[in-house]
Amino acid sequence: MARHLVRLKLVLLRAAARSAGLSGGIGMGLAILVALAIGAMGGTGLALLRVASDRRVADIVPAAFAGVLAVWVLGPVVSVGSEGTLEVDRLALLPLGRRQLMPGLLLAAMVGAGGVTTVLVLLGAVAGLAPASPGVVVTLAAAGLELCVCVAASRWVSTAISAAARKRRWRDIALFVGPLLGLTINLVWQIYARTTMRPDAFGHLHSRHTAIGSILRVLVRIVPSGPPAEAMVAARSGRWALALAELAAGVLFLVALLLLWWRAVEKVLTTSPESGRSRAGQVTAGAAGARPSLFPRFLPFLPVSRMGAVAAKELRVMWRDPRQRATLFASTFPGLLPLISTGVIASRSPKVVLLAAAPAYMIAASGTNQFGFDGARHWTNVAAGEDMAADLAGKNLARAVVAAIVIGVAVSVLAWRTAGWEMAVPAAALAAGAFGVALGLADLVSVIAAYPMSDSPGNLFSAGSSGQGFAAAGPALGVLFGGAVLCGPMALASLAVAGHPLSGAVVAAAEVMVGIAAWRNLWQIAARRANPRQPEMLVALGPKHAA
Amino acid sequence: MAGNDDAPPAVSWRGLAKSFGTKVAVADVDLDIPAGSFFGLVGPNGAGKTTTLKMTTGLLRPDRGTAVVDSTDVWRDPVTAKAHMGVLPEELRLFERLTGEELLTYNGLLRGMDPTVVADRSRDLLGVLGLADAARTMVVDYSQGMRKKIALACALLHAPRVLFLDEPFESVDPVSARTIRQVLERYTESGATVIFSSHVMDTVQRVCDRVAVMHAGRLVAAGTVDEVRGGRSLEDAFVALVGASADQSAGLAWLDTSSD
């Protein structure tokens, strides 16, 4: 059975490559190349430990192995995209028990870019740490154990989340909390790393960071990847008894993970997904002229029209659909990074308030696939008669509402920290200009290169299709960097006139006008291009293009 | 209600064709569907029914040919044509994170309807279709039958002249199916046209006054139900038309060895 499941995985990967089309195929190729490059770099880094001191090796190897484990466990959760080809769910109807399924699923999980990358890293570790004696067997065993621990932990977490998410409400929570957890870890790490690198600016925090560093050093040793790493380190210095004891501890961890996975698989095989129960209630007779319930009450300015309906729908769904909510947070997050950079945290210059434009820019630039979450549901708009201008404007309006809230908070926080309230208006104007330029570009890409986001209920973390992420990355990066080039002069002008009220007002007005003009022209071009091509867009957004 | 033969046809197909790669999905279909008829488009899986309906409703561009709905060429003037038609597609992809009431409002405003009219009609449709208690429940929490009914409500909201329904009775419980049938019969009594695809011959024979049989992308028969069935049951006529043998299970003798 294990051989059958591995073969099935290979067949599915080949089928995905064949059906991915040109852009998907290129995306898959790029994904594999990047994975191989990361594996090669990681492996080379660990191979170079052959010339490192014992102390450095003792610090680096457990950290590196913990990193590999974290990628296996958190990767699918954070990226909302893992191989969804061999989930337990999909095999539940076959007359197969756990004993038959689990070895095959374990082996099948090793097939693919993740497995190859990990093997490359571990080969580097073996090259860098294996002693020149028969003790190399211990090093090889530790490398194999690390691979098994990573895969078992990954499968357990994936299946456990799937098992816990048999109800729609739990599925929604898992879909949102997973990526948020990943972002939070990333954010904490960024702050820690940045402030640690500048002990001069953060002397009062330095001692705490040293303590946190010590805790992390302990942590990477007690997680399941710790014993294999320690076994390798001990074997390198000829402490055979310790190495064997660490290997035994690693095997115990592996057995524990397999038992946990065993229980999770049982739950998935014996329960069926349930729908949730949202708030019930009858439709009420609205007073004449009352706003329809589709429109959020706190946004009275949304017009009761096709454009307004699309905007209201986007805002409702953006919040209610956990995938969209997670994506919204993920797209806002990179824009917040400059705000927590070392220089900004330490600075008291009012000019840093201008950085509030960064999240607005990111929210707009991340809208390169605004119809992706609609997917095949876009037929509703097409069947109602083509009006891409209104549809696109509605989606843009919803994005602008979100951006306005984020900009408001960012400007207020930065102005309060630096007492630079005089920069609030220039910052808002720069944000509006950058938002307009980036959103116009994103509109164009959205109609030219639309693709569906997967919403498979069977697998919480399935990607749209193999290679899709990389295929989408090209246009998205194009907008990100192209927009930055266009917005750069605006940012420089704002910096140049900071502190000069008159020229500052002129530049601010110019930035707003440039933003509006850029958005308006690009939006019109996008709508004109897409209107007569709605059926083709519908095909591109159809289920055959999803996983 | 039988179709009105004097009025211009509700739907007219001329040389309608579509291929996907080397596979011919629909091959030069010609047909007029009289206004006011309850029309069934039947055929086995893969016969081309869904493709034909998609090309007629402006959701899939044909390779060649024309589709005219209520005297408007769908591909020359899609906005006008779509204003006169309602659609319930086979794959019920709905905005599931909206409530039933919100979904109706969304559809109404997409079509430029007055919000007050949308609210009034929504209330009526939700009541008749038995969804009033679920009006503020998200569609993601609806059963399959409820989803069909809310999709039908969306298709009827703007009171279209022609209604296209792709497999409206599939996966629907008998009670919901009866409700849907009653709403559609009431709708055709007003002179509107219903065109629906199905492979459930019993339903088609019971509710339709006209029928067309598709097989391998071609129309193999069309006319009134009585004309097409020719004294037999519609199912027997259908099986004869698509060329299936009477008993295709002869090669499954091994099923007799089943331990159950």
Side-chain angles (χ1 to χ4, degrees), chain A residues 66-134:
Chain A
V68 174
L69 176 67
V71 170
W72 273 93
V73 173
L74 290 177
V77 180
V78 175
S79 65
V80 197
S82 69
E83 48 81 28
T85 51
L86 282 187
E87 290 301 319
V88 181
D89 253 6
R90 302 187 184 207
L91 304 167
L93 290 178
L94 298 175
L96 296 172
R98 285 174 288 178
R99 280 179 203 284
Q100 293 162 293
L101 272 178
M102 288 174 61
L105 291 175
L106 207 61
L107 283 174
M110 293 180 193
V111 176
V116 174
T117 307
T118 307
V119 167
L120 285 175
V121 171
L122 293 174
L123 284 176
V126 170
L129 300 168
S133 69

Side-chain angles (χ1 to χ4, degrees), chain A residues 168 172 275-276 278-279 281-285 292 304 306 320 374 377 379-383 386 532 536, chain B residues 61 75 82 89 93-95 97 101-102 105-107 109-111 115 123 132-133 135-138 140-141:
Chain A
R168 203 255 300 154
D172 287 2
S275 181
S278 48
R279 184 167 60 99
Q282 287 208 354
V283 59
T284 49
V304 182
R306 178 163 179 153
R320 289 176 185 168
D374 289 355
R377 296 176 195 86
W379 76 265
T380 307
N381 296 50
V382 180
E386 292 85 344
E536 286 73 20
Chain B
R61 196 182 301 279
W75 292 98
K82 286 171 183 177
R93 300 283 181 141
L94 303 170
F95 290 104
R97 301 284 169 156
E101 184 187 8
E102 289 167 353
T105 306
Y106 181 67
N107 273 273
L109 294 180
L110 281 186
R111 292 183 176 277
R123 202 165 41 251
D133 287 339
R136 296 200 171 166
T137 300
M138 278 197 277
V140 70
D141 294 328

Side-chain angles (χ1 to χ4, degrees), chain A residues 114-305:
Chain A
V116 174
T117 307
T118 307
V119 167
L120 285 175
V121 171
L122 293 174
L123 284 176
V126 170
L129 300 168
S133 69
V136 69
V137 176
V138 176
T139 311
L140 285 171
L145 186 60
E146 165 72 0
L147 179 62
C148 291
V149 162
C150 286
V151 178
S154 171
R155 292 295 82 198
W156 167 54
V157 170
S158 244
T159 311
I161 291 173
S162 180
R166 308 307 275 169
K167 289 188 175 178
R168 203 255 300 154
R169 187 170 293 277
W170 286 110
R171 282 200 293 275
D172 287 2
I173 291 171
L175 272 169
F176 181 59
V177 170
L180 198 63
L181 180 71
L183 289 176
T184 307
I185 292 170
N186 194 350
L187 185 64
V188 170
W189 173 251
Q190 294 276 351
I191 293 172
Y192 172 73
R194 285 159 192 261
T195 51
T196 306
M197 281 187 290
R198 290 277 308 274
D200 53 318
F202 304 97
H204 59 295
L205 293 174
H206 193 58
S207 58
R208 283 187 210 171
H209 289 152
T210 308
I212 293 171
S214 303
I215 293 169
L216 283 176
R217 271 196 289 277
V218 173
L219 199 64
V220 296
R221 284 172 170 77
I222 61 172
V223 292
S225 61
E230 292 292 339
M232 274 196 181
V233 173
R236 179 180 185 260
S237 54
R239 292 173 290 161
W240 303 115
L242 180 61
L244 291 173
E246 292 286 1
L247 272 184
V251 171
L252 284 179
F253 261 126
L254 179 60
V255 170
L257 287 169
L258 290 173
L259 282 174
L260 288 168
W261 186 34
W262 176 272
R263 287 171 62 97
V265 169
E266 171 70 8
K267 189 163 184 187
V268 171
L269 289 176
T270 55
T271 56
S272 60
E274 291 175 31
S275 181
R277 177 53 56 187
S278 48
R279 184 167 60 99
Q282 287 208 354
V283 59
T284 49
R291 282 173 71 79
S293 64
L294 174 66
F295 292 79
R297 254 178 277 173
F298 64 94
L299 295 172
F301 57 85
L302 287 185
V304 182
S305 62

